[in-house]
Coordinates of all heavy atoms in Angstrom, one line a residue:
M15 N 21.7 2.1 37.4 CA 21.0 1.1 36.5 C 21.6 -0.2 36.7 O 22.8 -0.4 36.6 CB 21.1 1.6 35.1 CG 20.5 0.8 34.1 SD 20.2 1.7 32.6 CE 18.9 0.8 31.9
P16 N 20.8 -1.3 36.9 CA 21.3 -2.6 37.1 C 21.9 -3.1 35.8 O 21.5 -2.8 34.7 CB 20.1 -3.4 37.5 CG 19.0 -2.7 37.1 CD 19.3 -1.2 37.0
R17 N 22.9 -3.9 36.0 CA 23.6 -4.5 34.8 C 22.8 -5.8 34.4 O 22.4 -6.6 35.3 CB 25.0 -4.9 35.1 CG 25.9 -3.7 35.3 CD 27.3 -4.1 35.5 NE 28.1 -2.9 35.8 CZ 29.3 -2.8 35.5 NH1 30.0 -3.8 34.9 NH2 30.0 -1.7 35.8
L18 N 22.7 -6.0 33.1 CA 22.0 -7.2 32.6 C 23.0 -8.3 32.6 O 24.2 -8.1 32.3 CB 21.4 -6.9 31.2 CG 20.3 -5.9 31.1 CD1 19.9 -5.7 29.7 CD2 19.1 -6.3 31.9
P19 N 22.5 -9.5 32.8 CA 23.4 -10.7 32.7 C 23.9 -10.8 31.2 O 23.3 -10.3 30.3 CB 22.6 -11.9 33.0 CG 21.2 -11.4 33.2 CD 21.2 -9.9 33.2
K20 N 25.1 -11.4 31.0 CA 25.7 -11.5 29.7 C 24.8 -12.2 28.7 O 24.9 -12.0 27.5 CB 27.0 -12.2 29.8 CG 28.0 -11.4 30.5 CD 29.4 -12.0 30.4 CE 30.4 -11.0 31.1 NZ 31.7 -11.5 31.0
E21 N 23.9 -13.1 29.1 CA 23.0 -13.8 28.2 C 21.8 -13.0 27.7 O 21.0 -13.4 27.0 CB 22.5 -15.1 28.8 CG 21.7 -15.0 30.0 CD 22.4 -15.0 31.3 OE1 23.7 -15.1 31.3 OE2 21.8 -14.9 32.4
G22 N 21.7 -11.7 28.2 CA 20.7 -10.8 27.7 C 19.5 -10.8 28.7 O 19.5 -11.5 29.7
P23 N 18.5 -10.1 28.4 CA 17.3 -10.0 29.3 C 16.5 -11.3 29.3 O 16.6 -12.0 28.3 CB 16.5 -8.8 28.7 CG 16.9 -8.8 27.3 CD 18.3 -9.2 27.2
P24 N 15.8 -11.5 30.4 CA 15.0 -12.7 30.4 C 13.9 -12.6 29.4 O 13.5 -11.5 29.0 CB 14.5 -12.8 31.8 CG 14.5 -11.4 32.3 CD 15.7 -10.7 31.6
P25 N 13.3 -13.7 29.0 CA 12.2 -13.7 28.0 C 11.0 -13.1 28.7 O 10.8 -13.3 29.9 CB 12.0 -15.1 27.6 CG 12.6 -15.9 28.6 CD 13.7 -15.1 29.2
P26 N 10.1 -12.4 28.0 CA 8.9 -11.9 28.6 C 7.9 -13.1 28.9 O 8.1 -14.2 28.3 CB 8.3 -11.0 27.6 CG 8.9 -11.4 26.3 CD 10.2 -12.0 26.6
P27 N 6.9 -12.9 29.7 CA 6.0 -13.9 30.0 C 5.2 -14.3 28.7 O 5.1 -13.5 27.7 CB 5.0 -13.4 31.0 CG 5.4 -12.0 31.2 CD 6.7 -11.7 30.5
D28 N 4.6 -15.4 28.7 CA 3.8 -15.9 27.5 C 2.7 -14.9 27.2 O 2.0 -14.4 28.1 CB 3.2 -17.2 27.7 CG 4.3 -18.3 27.7 OD1 5.4 -18.1 27.1 OD2 4.0 -19.4 28.2
G29 N 2.6 -14.5 25.9 CA 1.5 -13.6 25.5 C 1.9 -12.1 25.6 O 1.1 -11.2 25.4
Y30 N 3.1 -11.8 26.0 CA 3.6 -10.5 26.2 C 4.9 -10.3 25.4 O 5.6 -11.2 25.1 CB 3.9 -10.2 27.7 CG 2.7 -10.1 28.5 CD1 2.1 -11.2 29.1 CD2 2.1 -8.8 28.8 CE1 1.0 -11.1 29.9 CE2 1.0 -8.7 29.6 CZ 0.4 -9.8 30.1 OH -0.7 -9.7 30.9
V31 N 5.2 -9.0 25.1 CA 6.5 -8.7 24.4 C 7.1 -7.5 25.1 O 6.4 -6.7 25.8 CB 6.2 -8.4 22.9 CG1 5.8 -9.6 22.1 CG2 5.2 -7.2 22.7
W32 N 8.4 -7.3 25.0 CA 9.1 -6.2 25.5 C 8.6 -4.9 24.8 O 8.1 -5.0 23.7 CB 10.6 -6.3 25.5 CG 11.1 -7.5 26.3 CD1 11.9 -8.5 25.8 CD2 11.0 -7.7 27.7 NE1 12.2 -9.3 26.8 CE2 11.7 -8.9 28.0 CE3 10.3 -7.0 28.7 CZ2 11.7 -9.4 29.3 CZ3 10.4 -7.5 30.0 CH2 11.1 -8.7 30.3
S33 N 9.0 -3.8 25.3 CA 8.5 -2.5 24.7 C 9.1 -2.3 23.3 O 8.5 -1.7 22.4 CB 8.9 -1.3 25.6 OG 10.2 -1.3 25.9
D34 N 10.4 -2.7 23.0 CA 11.0 -2.5 21.7 C 10.2 -3.4 20.7 O 10.0 -2.9 19.5 CB 12.5 -2.8 21.7 CG 12.8 -4.2 22.2 OD1 12.0 -4.8 22.9 OD2 14.0 -4.6 22.0
E35 N 9.8 -4.6 21.0 CA 9.1 -5.4 20.1 C 7.6 -4.8 19.9 O 7.1 -4.9 18.8 CB 9.0 -6.8 20.6 CG 8.1 -7.8 19.8 CD 8.6 -8.0 18.4 OE1 9.8 -7.7 18.1 OE2 7.8 -8.5 17.5
A36 N 7.1 -4.3 21.0 CA 5.7 -3.7 20.8 C 5.8 -2.5 19.9 O 4.9 -2.3 19.1 CB 5.2 -3.3 22.2
A37 N 6.8 -1.7 20.0 CA 7.0 -0.5 19.1 C 7.1 -1.0 17.7 O 6.5 -0.4 16.8 CB 8.2 0.3 19.6
R38 N 7.9 -2.0 17.5 CA 8.1 -2.6 16.1 C 6.7 -3.1 15.5 O 6.4 -2.8 14.4 CB 9.1 -3.7 16.1 CG 9.5 -4.2 14.7 CD 10.2 -5.4 14.7 NE 9.5 -6.6 15.2 CZ 8.5 -7.2 14.5 NH1 8.2 -6.8 13.3 NH2 7.9 -8.2 15.0
R39 N 6.0 -3.8 16.4 CA 4.7 -4.3 15.9 C 3.7 -3.2 15.6 O 2.9 -3.3 14.7 CB 4.0 -5.2 16.9 CG 4.7 -6.5 17.0 CD 4.1 -7.4 18.1 NE 4.8 -8.6 18.3 CZ 4.2 -9.8 18.2 NH1 2.9 -9.9 18.1 NH2 4.9 -10.9 18.3
L40 N 3.8 -2.1 16.3 CA 2.9 -0.9 16.0 C 3.4 0.0 15.0 O 2.7 0.9 14.5 CB 2.7 -0.1 17.3 CG 1.9 -0.9 18.4 CD1 1.9 -0.1 19.7 CD2 0.4 -1.0 18.0
G41 N 4.7 -0.1 14.5 CA 5.2 0.7 13.5 C 5.6 2.1 14.1 O 5.6 3.1 13.4
L42 N 6.0 2.1 15.4 CA 6.3 3.4 16.1 C 7.8 3.2 16.6 O 8.3 2.2 16.7 CB 5.4 3.6 17.3 CG 3.9 3.6 17.0 CD1 3.2 3.6 18.4 CD2 3.6 4.9 16.2
S43 N 8.3 4.4 17.0 CA 9.6 4.3 17.7 C 9.3 4.0 19.2 O 8.2 4.2 19.6 CB 10.3 5.7 17.5 OG 9.7 6.7 18.3
R44 N 10.4 3.6 19.9 CA 10.2 3.3 21.3 C 9.8 4.6 22.0 O 9.0 4.6 23.0 CB 11.4 2.7 21.9 CG 11.6 1.3 21.4 CD 12.8 0.6 22.1 NE 14.0 1.3 21.9 CZ 15.2 1.2 22.5 NH1 15.3 0.3 23.4 NH2 16.2 1.8 22.2
R45 N 10.4 5.7 21.6 CA 10.1 7.0 22.3 C 8.6 7.4 22.1 O 7.9 7.8 23.0 CB 11.0 8.1 21.7 CG 10.8 9.4 22.4 CD 11.2 9.3 23.8 NE 11.0 10.7 24.4 CZ 11.4 11.0 25.6 NH1 12.1 10.1 26.3 NH2 11.2 12.2 26.0
T46 N 8.1 7.2 20.9 CA 6.7 7.5 20.6 C 5.8 6.6 21.4 O 4.8 7.0 22.0 CB 6.4 7.4 19.1 OG1 7.2 8.2 18.4 CG2 4.9 7.7 18.8
L47 N 6.1 5.3 21.5 CA 5.3 4.4 22.3 C 5.4 4.8 23.8 O 4.4 4.8 24.5 CB 5.9 3.0 22.2 CG 5.1 1.9 22.9 CD1 3.7 1.8 22.5 CD2 5.8 0.5 22.7
W48 N 6.5 5.3 24.3 CA 6.6 5.8 25.6 C 5.7 7.0 25.8 O 5.0 7.1 26.8 CB 8.1 6.1 26.0 CG 8.3 6.5 27.4 CD1 8.5 5.7 28.5 CD2 8.3 7.8 27.9 NE1 8.6 6.4 29.6 CE2 8.5 7.8 29.3 CE3 8.1 9.1 27.3 CZ2 8.6 8.9 30.1 CZ3 8.2 10.2 28.1 CH2 8.4 10.1 29.5
N49 N 5.8 7.9 24.9 CA 4.9 9.1 24.9 C 3.4 8.7 25.0 O 2.7 9.3 25.7 CB 5.2 10.1 23.8 CG 6.5 10.8 23.9 OD1 7.0 10.9 25.0 ND2 7.1 11.2 22.8
Y50 N 3.1 7.8 24.1 CA 1.7 7.3 24.1 C 1.3 6.8 25.5 O 0.2 7.0 25.9 CB 1.5 6.3 23.0 CG 1.3 6.8 21.6 CD1 1.4 8.1 21.3 CD2 1.0 5.9 20.6 CE1 1.3 8.6 20.1 CE2 0.8 6.4 19.3 CZ 1.0 7.7 19.0 OH 0.8 8.2 17.8
R51 N 2.2 6.1 26.1 CA 1.9 5.5 27.4 C 1.7 6.6 28.4 O 0.8 6.5 29.3 CB 3.1 4.6 27.9 CG 2.9 4.0 29.2 CD 4.0 3.0 29.5 NE 4.0 2.6 30.9 CZ 4.7 3.1 31.8 NH1 5.6 4.1 31.5 NH2 4.6 2.8 33.1
Q52 N 2.5 7.7 28.4 CA 2.3 8.8 29.3 C 1.0 9.5 29.1 O 0.4 10.0 30.0 CB 3.5 9.8 29.2 CG 4.9 9.2 29.4 CD 5.0 8.6 30.8 OE1 4.6 9.2 31.8 NE2 5.5 7.4 30.9
L53 N 0.5 9.5 27.9 CA -0.7 10.2 27.5 C -2.0 9.3 27.6 O -3.1 9.7 27.3 CB -0.6 10.8 26.1 CG 0.5 11.8 25.9 CD1 0.6 12.2 24.4 CD2 0.2 13.1 26.7
D54 N -1.8 8.0 28.0 CA -2.8 7.0 28.0 C -3.5 6.9 26.6 O -4.7 6.7 26.5 CB -3.9 7.3 29.0 CG -3.5 7.1 30.4 OD1 -2.6 6.2 30.6 OD2 -4.0 7.7 31.4
K55 N -2.6 6.9 25.6 CA -3.1 6.9 24.2 C -2.9 5.5 23.6 O -3.6 5.2 22.7 CB -2.3 8.0 23.4 CG -2.9 8.3 22.1 CD -2.1 9.5 21.5 CE -2.5 9.7 20.1 NZ -1.8 10.8 19.5
G56 N -1.9 4.8 24.0 CA -1.5 3.5 23.4 C -2.0 2.3 24.2 O -2.8 2.5 25.1
P57 N -1.5 1.1 23.9 CA -1.9 -0.1 24.6 C -1.3 0.0 26.0 O -0.3 0.7 26.3 CB -1.2 -1.2 23.8 CG -0.2 -0.6 23.0 CD -0.6 0.8 22.8
K58 N -2.0 -0.7 26.9 CA -1.6 -0.7 28.3 C -0.3 -1.5 28.6 O -0.2 -2.5 28.0 CB -2.7 -1.2 29.2 CG -4.0 -0.4 29.1 CD -3.8 1.0 29.7 CE -5.0 1.8 29.5 NZ -4.8 3.2 29.5
A59 N 0.6 -1.0 29.4 CA 1.8 -1.6 29.7 C 1.8 -2.1 31.1 O 1.1 -1.5 32.0 CB 3.0 -0.7 29.5
K60 N 2.6 -3.1 31.4 CA 2.7 -3.7 32.8 C 4.2 -3.8 33.1 O 5.0 -3.9 32.2 CB 2.1 -5.0 32.9 CG 0.6 -5.0 32.7 CD 0.0 -6.4 32.8 CE -1.4 -6.4 32.6 NZ -2.0 -7.7 32.7
R61 N 4.6 -3.8 34.3 CA 5.9 -4.0 34.7 C 6.2 -5.5 35.0 O 5.4 -6.2 35.6 CB 6.2 -3.2 36.0 CG 6.3 -1.8 35.8 CD 7.7 -1.4 35.6 NE 7.8 0.1 35.3 CZ 8.8 0.6 34.7 NH1 9.8 -0.1 34.4 NH2 8.8 1.9 34.5
Y62 N 7.3 -6.0 34.4 CA 7.7 -7.4 34.7 C 9.2 -7.4 34.9 O 10.0 -7.0 34.0 CB 7.3 -8.2 33.5 CG 7.8 -9.7 33.6 CD1 7.1 -10.5 34.4 CD2 8.8 -10.1 32.8 CE1 7.6 -11.9 34.6 CE2 9.3 -11.4 32.9 CZ 8.6 -12.3 33.8 OH 9.0 -13.6 33.9
R63 N 9.6 -7.7 36.1 CA 11.1 -7.7 36.4 C 11.7 -6.4 36.1 O 12.8 -6.3 35.6 CB 11.8 -8.8 35.7 CG 11.3 -10.2 36.1 CD 12.2 -11.3 35.5 NE 11.7 -12.6 36.0 CZ 12.4 -13.7 35.7 NH1 13.4 -13.7 34.9 NH2 11.9 -14.8 36.1
G64 N 11.0 -5.3 36.4 CA 11.6 -4.0 36.3 C 11.5 -3.4 34.8 O 12.0 -2.3 34.6
R65 N 10.9 -4.1 33.9 CA 10.8 -3.7 32.5 C 9.4 -3.6 32.1 O 8.5 -4.3 32.7 CB 11.6 -4.6 31.6 CG 13.1 -4.6 31.9 CD 13.9 -5.5 30.9 NE 13.8 -4.9 29.6 CZ 14.2 -5.5 28.5 NH1 14.7 -6.7 28.6 NH2 14.1 -4.9 27.3
L66 N 9.1 -2.9 31.1 CA 7.7 -2.8 30.5 C 7.5 -3.9 29.6 O 8.3 -4.2 28.7 CB 7.5 -1.4 29.8 CG 7.5 -0.2 30.7 CD1 7.4 1.0 29.8 CD2 6.3 -0.2 31.6
V67 N 6.3 -4.5 29.7 CA 5.8 -5.5 28.8 C 4.4 -5.1 28.3 O 3.7 -4.4 29.0 CB 5.8 -6.9 29.4 CG1 7.2 -7.4 29.7 CG2 4.9 -7.0 30.6
Y68 N 4.1 -5.5 27.1 CA 2.8 -5.2 26.5 C 2.2 -6.5 26.1 O 2.9 -7.4 25.5 CB 3.0 -4.3 25.3 CG 3.4 -2.9 25.6 CD1 4.8 -2.6 25.7 CD2 2.5 -1.9 25.7 CE1 5.2 -1.3 26.0 CE2 2.9 -0.6 26.0 CZ 4.2 -0.3 26.2 OH 4.6 1.0 26.5
A69 N 0.9 -6.7 26.4 CA 0.2 -7.9 26.0 C 0.0 -7.8 24.5 O -0.4 -6.8 23.9 CB -1.1 -7.9 26.7
I70 N 0.2 -8.9 23.8 CA 0.1 -9.0 22.3 C -1.4 -8.7 22.0 O -1.6 -8.0 21.0 CB 0.6 -10.4 21.8 CG1 2.1 -10.5 22.1 CG2 0.3 -10.5 20.4 CD1 2.6 -11.9 21.8
A71 N -2.3 -9.2 22.8 CA -3.7 -9.0 22.5 C -4.0 -7.5 22.5 O -4.8 -7.0 21.7 CB -4.6 -9.7 23.5
D72 N -3.4 -6.7 23.5 CA -3.7 -5.3 23.6 C -3.1 -4.6 22.4 O -3.6 -3.6 21.9 CB -3.0 -4.8 24.9 CG -3.8 -5.2 26.1 OD1 -4.9 -5.7 26.0 OD2 -3.3 -5.0 27.3
I73 N -1.9 -5.0 22.0 CA -1.3 -4.4 20.8 C -2.2 -4.6 19.6 O -2.4 -3.6 18.8 CB 0.1 -5.0 20.5 CG1 1.1 -4.6 21.7 CG2 0.7 -4.5 19.2 CD1 2.4 -5.4 21.7
D74 N -2.6 -5.8 19.3 CA -3.5 -6.1 18.2 C -4.8 -5.3 18.3 O -5.3 -4.7 17.3 CB -3.8 -7.5 18.1 CG -2.6 -8.4 17.7 OD1 -1.6 -7.8 17.2 OD2 -2.6 -9.6 18.0
A75 N -5.4 -5.2 19.5 CA -6.6 -4.4 19.7 C -6.4 -2.9 19.4 O -7.2 -2.2 18.8 CB -7.2 -4.6 21.1
H76 N -5.2 -2.4 19.9 CA -4.9 -1.0 19.6 C -4.7 -0.7 18.1 O -5.2 0.3 17.6 CB -3.6 -0.6 20.4 CG -3.2 0.8 20.2 ND1 -3.9 1.9 20.7 CD2 -2.2 1.4 19.4 CE1 -3.4 3.0 20.3 NE2 -2.3 2.7 19.5
K77 N -4.0 -1.6 17.4 CA -3.9 -1.5 16.0 C -5.2 -1.4 15.3 O -5.4 -0.6 14.4 CB -3.0 -2.6 15.4 CG -1.5 -2.4 15.7 CD -0.6 -3.5 15.3 CE -0.9 -4.3 14.1 NZ 0.1 -5.4 13.8
K78 N -6.1 -2.3 15.7 CA -7.4 -2.4 15.0 C -8.2 -1.1 15.3 O -8.8 -0.5 14.4 CB -8.2 -3.6 15.5 CG -9.6 -3.7 14.9 CD -10.2 -5.0 15.3 CE -11.6 -5.2 14.7 NZ -12.1 -4.3 13.8
T79 N -8.2 -0.6 16.5 CA -9.0 0.6 16.8 C -8.4 1.8 16.1 O -9.1 2.7 15.7 CB -9.1 0.9 18.3 OG1 -7.8 0.9 18.9 CG2 -9.9 -0.2 19.0
A80 N -7.0 1.8 16.0 CA -6.3 3.0 15.4 C -6.7 3.0 13.9 O -6.9 4.0 13.3 CB -4.8 2.9 15.6
L81 N -6.7 1.8 13.3 CA -7.1 1.7 11.9 C -8.5 2.1 11.6 O -8.8 2.8 10.7 CB -6.8 0.3 11.3 CG -5.4 -0.1 11.1 CD1 -5.3 -1.6 10.7 CD2 -4.7 0.8 10.1
D82 N -9.4 1.6 12.5 CA -10.8 2.0 12.4 C -11.0 3.5 12.5 O -11.8 4.1 11.8 CB -11.7 1.3 13.4 CG -11.8 -0.2 13.1 OD1 -11.4 -0.6 12.0 OD2 -12.2 -1.0 14.1
A83 N -10.3 4.1 13.5 CA -10.4 5.6 13.7 C -9.9 6.3 12.5 O -10.5 7.3 12.0 CB -9.6 6.0 14.9
D84 N -8.8 5.8 11.9 CA -8.2 6.5 10.7 C -9.2 6.4 9.5 O -9.4 7.4 8.8 CB -6.9 5.8 10.2 CG -5.8 6.2 11.1 OD1 -5.9 7.2 11.9 OD2 -4.7 5.5 11.1
D85 N -9.9 5.3 9.4 CA -10.9 5.1 8.3 C -12.0 6.1 8.5 O -12.5 6.7 7.5 CB -11.4 3.7 8.2 CG -10.4 2.7 7.7 OD1 -9.4 3.2 7.1 OD2 -10.5 1.5 7.9
E86 N -12.5 6.2 9.7 CA -13.6 7.1 10.0 C -13.2 8.6 9.7 O -14.0 9.4 9.2 CB -14.1 7.0 11.4 CG -14.8 5.7 11.7 CD -15.2 5.5 13.2 OE1 -15.1 6.5 13.9 OE2 -15.6 4.4 13.5
E87 N -12.0 9.0 10.1 CA -11.5 10.3 9.9 C -11.4 10.6 8.4 O -11.8 11.7 8.0 CB -10.2 10.5 10.6 CG -10.3 10.6 12.1 CD -8.9 10.8 12.7 OE1 -8.0 11.1 12.0 OE2 -8.8 10.6 13.9
R88 N -10.9 9.7 7.7 CA -10.8 9.9 6.2 C -12.1 10.0 5.6 O -12.3 10.9 4.7 CB -10.0 8.7 5.6 CG -8.5 8.7 5.9 CD -7.8 7.7 5.0 NE -6.5 7.5 5.5 CZ -6.0 6.4 6.0 NH1 -6.8 5.3 6.0 NH2 -4.8 6.3 6.5
A89 N -13.1 9.3 6.0 CA -14.4 9.3 5.4 C -15.1 10.7 5.7 O -15.8 11.2 4.8 CB -15.3 8.2 5.9
H90 N -14.8 11.3 6.8 CA -15.5 12.5 7.2 C -14.7 13.8 6.8 O -15.3 14.8 6.7 CB -15.9 12.5 8.7 CG -16.8 11.4 9.0 ND1 -18.1 11.4 8.6 CD2 -16.7 10.3 9.7 CE1 -18.7 10.3 9.1 NE2 -17.9 9.6 9.7
D91 N -13.4 13.7 6.7 CA -12.6 14.8 6.5 C -12.5 15.2 5.0 O -12.1 16.3 4.6 CB -11.2 14.7 7.0 CG -11.2 14.8 8.5 OD1 -12.2 15.2 9.1 OD2 -10.2 14.4 9.1
S92 N -12.9 14.2 4.2 CA -12.7 14.5 2.7 C -13.8 15.4 2.2 O -14.9 15.4 2.8 CB -12.6 13.2 2.0 OG -13.9 12.5 2.1
R93 N -13.5 16.1 1.2 CA -14.6 16.9 0.6 C -14.4 16.7 -0.9 O -13.3 16.4 -1.4 CB -14.5 18.3 1.0 CG -13.2 19.0 0.5 CD -13.2 20.5 1.0 NE -12.2 21.2 0.2 CZ -11.8 22.4 0.5 NH1 -12.3 23.0 1.5 NH2 -10.9 22.9 -0.3
P94 N -15.4 17.0 -1.7 CA -15.3 16.8 -3.1 C -14.3 17.8 -3.7 O -14.1 18.9 -3.1 CB -16.7 17.1 -3.7 CG -17.4 17.8 -2.6 CD -16.8 17.4 -1.3
A95 N -13.7 17.5 -4.8 CA -12.7 18.3 -5.5 C -13.4 19.6 -6.0 O -14.6 19.6 -6.4 CB -12.1 17.6 -6.6
E96 N -12.7 20.7 -5.9 CA -13.3 22.0 -6.4 C -13.3 21.9 -7.9 O -12.4 21.4 -8.6 CB -12.5 23.1 -5.9 CG -12.5 23.3 -4.4 CD -11.7 24.5 -3.9 OE1 -11.3 25.3 -4.8 OE2 -11.5 24.5 -2.7
P97 N -14.3 22.5 -8.5 CA -14.4 22.4 -10.0 C -13.3 23.2 -10.6 O -12.9 24.3 -10.1 CB -15.8 23.1 -10.3 CG -16.1 23.9 -9.1 CD -15.4 23.2 -7.9
R98 N -12.8 22.7 -11.7 CA -11.8 23.5 -12.5 C -12.4 24.5 -13.4 O -13.5 24.2 -13.9 CB -11.0 22.5 -13.3 CG -10.1 21.6 -12.5 CD -9.3 20.7 -13.4 NE -8.1 20.3 -12.7 CZ -7.1 19.6 -13.3 NH1 -7.2 19.3 -14.5 NH2 -6.1 19.3 -12.6
P99 N -11.7 25.6 -13.5 CA -12.3 26.6 -14.4 C -12.2 26.1 -15.9 O -11.3 25.4 -16.3 CB -11.4 27.8 -14.2 CG -10.2 27.3 -13.6 CD -10.5 26.0 -12.9
T100 N -13.3 26.3 -16.6 CA -13.3 26.0 -18.0 C -13.1 27.2 -18.9 O -13.5 28.3 -18.4 CB -14.6 25.2 -18.4 OG1 -15.7 26.1 -18.1 CG2 -14.7 23.9 -17.6
G101 N -12.7 27.1 -20.0 CA -12.5 28.3 -20.9 C -11.1 28.4 -21.3 O -10.2 27.6 -20.9
P102 N -10.8 29.4 -22.1 CA -9.5 29.7 -22.6 C -8.5 30.1 -21.5 O -8.9 30.7 -20.5 CB -9.6 30.8 -23.6 CG -10.9 31.5 -23.3 CD -11.8 30.5 -22.6
R103 N -7.3 29.7 -21.6 CA -6.3 30.1 -20.6 C -5.8 31.5 -20.8 O -5.8 31.9 -22.0 CB -5.1 29.1 -20.7 CG -5.3 27.8 -20.3 CD -4.0 27.0 -20.3 NE -4.1 25.7 -19.7 CZ -3.2 24.9 -19.6 NH1 -1.9 25.2 -20.1 NH2 -3.4 23.7 -19.1
R104 N -5.5 32.1 -19.8 CA -5.0 33.5 -19.9 C -3.5 33.4 -19.9 O -2.9 32.7 -19.1 CB -5.4 34.3 -18.7 CG -6.8 34.7 -18.7 CD -7.2 35.6 -17.5 NE -6.1 36.0 -16.7 CZ -6.2 36.5 -15.5 NH1 -7.4 36.6 -14.9 NH2 -5.2 37.0 -14.8
S105 N -2.9 34.1 -20.8 CA -1.4 34.2 -20.8 C -1.0 35.4 -20.1 O -1.6 36.5 -20.2 CB -0.9 34.2 -22.2 OG -1.4 35.3 -22.9
E106 N 0.1 35.3 -19.3 CA 0.5 36.4 -18.5 C 1.8 37.0 -19.1 O 2.6 36.5 -19.7 CB 0.8 36.0 -17.1 CG -0.5 35.6 -16.4 CD -0.3 35.1 -15.0 OE1 0.7 35.5 -14.4 OE2 -1.1 34.4 -14.5

């Protein structure tokens, strides 16, 4: 593994963030973001100087589609509450 210079990694290109910042913006761990990348489930990543970068626009688009999908799932998965029995309680 190459050693990083003492001043730290170079800044990502404009409009991109490193993978740790992308994970923070998405509210995920870096490992989960990596798993999503392997499954083609998350935002698209590119290589820049040997490291992964994510476009900020792709991160925002992924967050929006994920929120929209969650809203649709909640609307269709819910069912009305079951009626409560009425009448005297039984003592055991």
Side-chain angles (χ1 to χ4, degrees):
M15 179 161 202
R17 293 183 185 211
L18 295 175
K20 290 187 179 184
E21 63 269 0
D28 290 338
Y30 288 86
V31 292
W32 297 123
S33 57
D34 54 346
E35 175 65 16
R38 188 192 65 76
R39 287 177 181 234
L40 291 169
L42 303 171
S43 70
R44 287 187 300 169
R45 182 67 181 188
T46 301
L47 183 61
W48 185 86
N49 287 336
Y50 281 5
R51 181 173 167 263
Q52 300 302 313
L53 298 171
D54 286 331
K55 193 174 174 183
K58 300 296 177 200
K60 296 180 183 180
R61 288 268 177 197
Y62 176 73
R63 295 186 179 185
R65 296 184 65 190
L66 290 175
V67 292
Y68 291 85
I70 295 172
D72 289 348
I73 293 170
D74 294 339
H76 178 73
K77 282 174 33 177
K78 183 174 176 7
T79 58
L81 288 175
D82 291 344
D84 285 346
D85 289 343
E86 289 176 11
E87 287 178 15
R88 284 190 195 119
H90 296 292
D91 286 347
S92 63
R93 65 179 197 190
E96 295 182 12
R98 291 184 153 186
T100 57
R103 289 186 176 180
R104 289 184 6 200
S105 61
E106 295 179 22

